[in-house]
Amino acid sequence: MRQFLAPKQVRVIEGILAGLTVTAAAEAAGVHRTTVHHWCRVIPEFRNTLDAVKQARIDSIQDAMQALVAPSIAILTSIVHDESQPLSLRMRTAMAILKFASTPAKVPVAKDAMGHVDYAAATACSDTPQDEIHRHSSPSSNGEPVESPAASTPPQTPRNASCPCGSGDKYKRCCGKNAPPVLSRAA
């Protein structure tokens, strides 16, 4: 497919295949990074080749990571079973394993006919809330999920809003004179 690409486009693709960022690959080819993004938008051959190169790089990294799985599991197993290891290390290792085991599998990303992410389909597939693991992983005395303290406190009145007492003054000059500053805004 490279016979359709200009020499600078080929240099950009080779740079990205070598692990350079788009900016670094563009600079090495003698073009600006916005030119590379423009090529992606208007030249299907360039975009398809670039996508294939990126996927090949991802695949090679995933293969390298996959080769590390067996030795990593052996290390984790030895840490969990070795009673000479500090209890805190063994506990963190066990918690990491449990968190991994309770993490749901990722749903494949839906794409449209052009190969772009179909966000409507992707959000329709996600029935599981993002914080499900965190909600259910907190230990509590009766087995119920522990409610976070931020969820139980009512939102604070913004300092520059009218005072809720009805005086007509700003909250910061009336009832909120001694109130602590707002650290986070309610969504």
Side-chain angles (χ1 to χ4, degrees):
M1 198 176 252
R2 289 190 179 177
Q3 65 268 20
F4 299 112
L5 301 177
K8 287 186 178 186
Q9 293 171 338
V10 172
R11 283 197 297 270
V12 167
I13 289 174
E14 288 172 346
I16 291 173
L17 182 61
L20 296 177
T21 63
V22 172
T23 303
E27 187 176 302
V31 296
H32 195 269
R33 65 185 174 87
T34 56
T35 304
V36 175
H37 295 295
H38 175 73
W39 290 340
C40 287
R41 284 192 310 272
V42 300
I43 304 171
E45 295 86 13
F46 180 80
R47 180 180 55 240
N48 295 338
T49 305
L50 185 60
D51 288 344
V53 164
K54 286 180 180 179
Q55 189 59 50
R57 180 131 174 86
I58 289 169
D59 290 345
S60 70
I61 291 170
Q62 286 178 338
D63 289 344
M65 295 300 286
Q66 191 66 34
L68 296 174
V69 169
S72 298
I73 290 174
I75 291 170
L76 292 174
T77 303
S78 69
I79 289 173
V80 170
H81 293 297
D82 185 3
E83 292 186 13
S84 67
Q85 294 291 336
L87 184 59
S88 62
L89 174 64
R90 294 175 62 209
M91 181 63 101
R92 285 193 314 266
T93 305
M95 292 301 292
I97 292 168
L98 290 173
K99 183 176 179 181
F100 175 79
S102 66
T103 303
K106 289 187 178 180
V107 178
V109 177
K111 294 191 178 187
D112 62 9
M114 295 293 292
H116 300 123
V117 175
D118 184 1
Y119 291 102
T123 55
C125 292
S126 63
D127 297 335
T128 311
Q130 294 294 332
D131 61 342
E132 182 177 6
I133 294 170
H134 303 293
R135 226 179 350 145
H136 297 295
S137 65
S138 298
S140 65
S141 58
N142 59 0
E144 293 291 320
V146 178
E147 186 176 321
S148 67
S152 63
T153 59
Q156 186 179 9
T157 304
R159 292 180 48 78
N160 285 324
S162 296
C163 190
C165 74
S167 67
D169 290 337
K170 289 185 176 183
Y171 178 72
K172 67 182 179 183
R173 302 207 188 280
C174 188
C175 297
K177 215 177 247 189
N178 297 324
V182 177
L183 299 178
S184 64
R185 300 198 184 263

